[in-house]
Amino acid sequence: MDDKNKYIIAMDQGTTSSRCILFDRKGNIVSEAHREFAQIYPKPGWVEHNPMEIWSSQLGVTMYAMGAIGAHFDEIAAIGITNQRETTIIWDRKTGQPIYNAVVWQCRRTADMIEEMKRQGWSEKIKAKTGLLPDAYFSASKIAWILDHVDCARERAKRGELAFGTVDTWLIWNLTGGKVHVTDYTNASRTMLYDIHKLCWDQEILDYFDIPRSMLPEVKPSSCIYGETDPSVIGAVIPIAGDAGDQQASLFGQCCFRPGDVKNTYGTGCFMLMNTGVDPIVSENGLLTTIAASTGNRVEYALEGSVFIAGAAIQWLRDEMRMLRSSPQSEEYCTAVKDTNGVYVVPAFTGIGAPYWSQFARGTIVGLTRGAQKEHFVRAVVESLAYQANDLLEAMEKESGLRLQSLKVDGGACANNFLMQFQSDISHIAIERPSCIETTALGAAYLAGLAVGFWKDKNEICENGICERMFQPEISKDRRETLKRGWKRAVKTALYWAELEEQDQQAAGAGSSEAEQCKDTEE
Ligand code: ADP
């Protein structure tokens, strides 16, 4: 076999760790290394990373993964990058030094800025141009915040001295020794500055945030040669040929290439993305429209929805309720009983998202009887992950008019066989669990490998996609409908609780202002 070009490097730069995986032509993992790095919480609700630590940890794990199998640089055909999305870094073009820490996607420091934007009536316009709903998650307000708070930053930016990038852009800049300032469509589509229809930075939004256009990277397809590594940085010249945000990379890694193909990642929360082909679909239920990773110059779109609390509910059973020793143990309890005995748990700990949208809803348990046991309760929590994912699936199906073929799954909680079977039952859909669940890194590798001819075409990589296990629906339509109706009632209860609380607060507000008035009259 040819000793050259045997592997693709995937750099998977996530929120809590930097990971590097080397893949061979069959899509097998031949080496892997990862390292956690510091999470910085300067104030409640604020989250930062040190950009230099992002870079050094990513470079370090890459060297480690190569060294672990004694791989030489001439055995690497290309590098693909996937990254935590939206996280914002601004640096000096000359020195390469960041002017502030990376402001992480989770950071809420610009929430007021976004509220003001909504008050000024920008919501519809943002949705129409960017496919997003105004939110502090996205990069736009984070850039504005750094420019507002770092001395002379805006003037320097206007003079063209500063560069902005999401984490992919920052890594490519460093890998190329500061020669290349680019991003890809998928990452650009999460900045809230990019017109996903016209495929350009939007001047009107840039003006609103007073962000100079000169700071922004060039936007390219997700699979193309962006540049080459600088030999002084990594010891060799290797093409950097793939780039996509983590969720889009996982959609690609799962080979969801056709309209209607959908994947769900069961992690702390759930991220569901559906390929909608060349047509962007505008959601009426709060799903986001975003650009999917694709090959060539053809731009494809995806609908995206998320569940805030998924695996986190299992962690809650383990850590706060102290009902489990480990998350995988939940499966034993689920299979020890034949159903939940009528119990439903809605884990709306921080509100409830699509398609219900109430930030005031809170966790709710309904249907308790004297016969309810711990097993029923644990099972109800595990089932809640599937019900929430099903709500997203139904919304996507309705809005896209696309019939779903199957649901591809990944993320930590997809290891739970009970959960996968229940998802299949409740959604009446085949569930496909791949043998390689590192689908995010795999997606980045595929994008890079396709750009340099390591893989011929998408058909060839689909052949790599080995399905480890398939789950097929096993319950009757009646049973499914009954269970789903129960879930909807449980969600309504959680929403009603929030509504009653709001009424109480209004009444208390009115009561206190009446009391104030009485006091005034008495005086
Ligand atoms: P993230 O990337 O969001 O940190 P992971 O994909 O690593 O998440 O998945 C971890 C989550 O999956 C945790 O919330 C954990 O509770 C849950 N989890 C892991 N294994 C299981 C299991 N066998 N059954 C149910 N939940 C699980």
Side-chain angles (χ1 to χ4, degrees), residues 265-269 311-312 314-315 318 327-328 330-331 411-413 415-416:
T265 301
Y266 298 80
T268 311
I314 316 287
Q315 288 169 324
R318 187 192 61 194
S327 297
S330 59
E331 193 170 341
N416 188 315

Side-chain angles (χ1 to χ4, degrees), residues 102-419:
V103 180
V104 178
W105 59 274
Q106 297 151 323
C107 186
R108 305 305 298 167
R109 79 183 63 192
T110 54
D112 288 347
M113 211 188 280
I114 296 294
E115 284 313 309
E116 177 55 26
M117 185 175 210
K118 288 192 205 160
R119 263 195 301 279
Q120 292 187 27
W122 274 79
S123 296
E124 278 311 308
K125 204 181 262 185
I126 290 287
K127 187 175 164 191
K129 288 170 186 259
T130 69
L132 307 173
L133 302 167
D135 199 288
Y137 279 134
F138 307 116
S139 316
S141 60
K142 299 183 195 293
I143 304 175
W145 190 94
I146 298 176
L147 295 181
D148 285 343
H149 289 83
V150 174
D151 272 355
C152 307
R154 195 164 262 107
E155 293 77 63
R156 291 174 66 199
K158 286 187 175 154
R159 288 199 299 268
E161 295 171 15
L162 302 182
F164 150 76
T166 39
V167 171
D168 56 315
T169 306
W170 171 241
L171 293 178
I172 295 174
W173 172 275
N174 281 290
L175 283 166
T176 59
K179 287 192 207 62
V180 179
H181 186 212
V182 290
T183 190
D184 85 305
Y185 288 133
T186 68
N187 276 296
S189 75
R190 312 295 298 184
T191 58
M192 213 177 87
L193 295 170
Y194 196 68
D195 188 319
I196 61 168
H197 310 284
K198 295 188 192 148
L199 302 177
C200 61
W201 299 112
D202 185 83
Q203 195 57 49
E204 202 184 356
I205 309 177
L206 289 175
D207 289 344
Y208 179 86
F209 287 108
D210 198 9
I211 297 173
R213 204 189 181 99
S214 63
M215 296 179 74
L216 305 175
E218 185 186 349
V219 187
K220 293 198 163 178
S222 303
S223 178
C224 71
I225 298 179
Y226 305 96
E228 290 170 333
T229 55
D230 186 307
S232 71
V233 176
I234 204 166
V237 177
I238 304 170
I240 303 164
D243 177 7
D246 51 12
Q247 296 308 323
Q248 282 95 333
S250 122
L251 188 70
F252 199 85
Q254 289 270 27
C255 297
C256 290
F257 301 142
R258 293 163 308 175
D261 284 351
V262 56
K263 72 95 197 177
N264 191 30
T265 301
Y266 298 80
T268 311
C270 280
F271 281 100
M272 188 179 287
L273 267 76
M274 178 204 253
N275 184 322
T276 64
V278 291
D279 300 318
I281 289 170
V282 179
S283 168
E284 297 305 323
N285 289 303
L287 302 174
L288 304 176
T289 313
T290 197
I291 301 185
S294 56
T295 50
N297 287 321
R298 200 175 113 107
V299 170
E300 291 176 20
Y301 294 87
L303 266 180
E304 171 168 335
S306 48
V307 167
F308 307 141
I309 303 289
I314 316 287
Q315 288 169 324
W316 169 74
L317 284 180
R318 187 192 61 194
D319 301 340
E320 278 77 19
M321 293 292 107
R322 295 189 290 279
M323 288 185 170
L324 302 173
R325 280 192 310 277
S326 67
S327 297
Q329 203 200 5
S330 59
E331 193 170 341
E332 280 170 36
Y333 287 103
C334 292
T335 51
V337 284
K338 68 175 196 332
D339 55 28
T340 67
N341 203 359
V343 177
Y344 286 90
V345 178
V346 184
F349 301 149
T350 55
I352 191 159
Y356 309 104
W357 295 106
S358 162
Q359 55 172 324
F360 302 110
R362 286 295 173 265
T364 303
I365 303 164
V366 295
L368 289 176
T369 56
R370 181 67 176 77
Q373 297 165 1
K374 174 175 162 181
E375 287 79 359
H376 298 126
F377 186 73
V378 171
R379 180 166 167 147
V381 172
V382 174
E383 287 187 358
S384 76
L385 273 62
Y387 284 120
Q388 294 182 93
N390 185 60
D391 286 335
L392 288 180
L393 266 183
E394 286 183 356
M396 286 187 176
E397 204 162 28
K398 199 162 98 204
E399 297 202 319
S400 65
L402 294 167
R403 223 186 66 75
L404 305 182
Q405 316 289 327
S406 62
L407 176 66
K408 312 243 179 124
V409 297
D410 52 43
C414 87
N416 188 315
N417 293 326
F418 166 80
L419 172 62

